[in-house]
Amino acid sequence: MARTAVVAGTASATVGAVSNRQANKQQAAAQAQAADQASFETQAQLAELQAQVDAQAAASAPPPPPPAAPGGDDMIAKLQQLADLKSAGVLSDAEFAAAKAKLLG
């Protein structure tokens, strides 16, 4: 009978050790899963913050300058100005001709 008690006690201890080991493995797996979930959430938050920073940077960037007017339009405008100055009497015929030659050449 003593022998049966020893065998039964050993069996109970072995079963208990196995159960504890399985419980520890399950707990470790649950902790790892929780850590993975936390990491995933942190990465999602970082991605969202980066998107917000990018949007703010794009919104605060100065708009691109308007395209430059073609040279022909600018030259026509300057010639028109010279003609207006000549017709107003501000420029003489010689001054007009010199300014026009300078502008065209």
Side-chain angles (χ1 to χ4, degrees), residues 57-83:
S60 66
D73 291 342
D74 190 39
M75 187 176 291
I76 291 172
K78 288 182 181 180
L79 285 172
Q80 185 63 43
Q81 252 183 340
L82 288 176

Side-chain angles (χ1 to χ4, degrees), residues 16-66:
V18 170
S19 295
N20 286 339
R21 188 176 305 151
Q22 288 176 344
N24 288 341
K25 283 183 182 181
Q26 289 175 349
Q27 184 179 9
Q31 288 174 346
Q33 185 178 8
D36 287 346
Q37 181 66 27
S39 176
F40 176 76
E41 290 172 359
T42 301
Q43 287 177 352
Q45 289 173 349
L46 286 175
E48 185 178 331
L49 288 174
Q50 185 63 44
Q52 289 175 356
V53 167
D54 291 345
Q56 288 175 351
S60 66

Side-chain angles (χ1 to χ4, degrees), residues 8-20:
T10 304
S12 293
T14 304
V15 169
V18 170
S19 295
N20 286 339

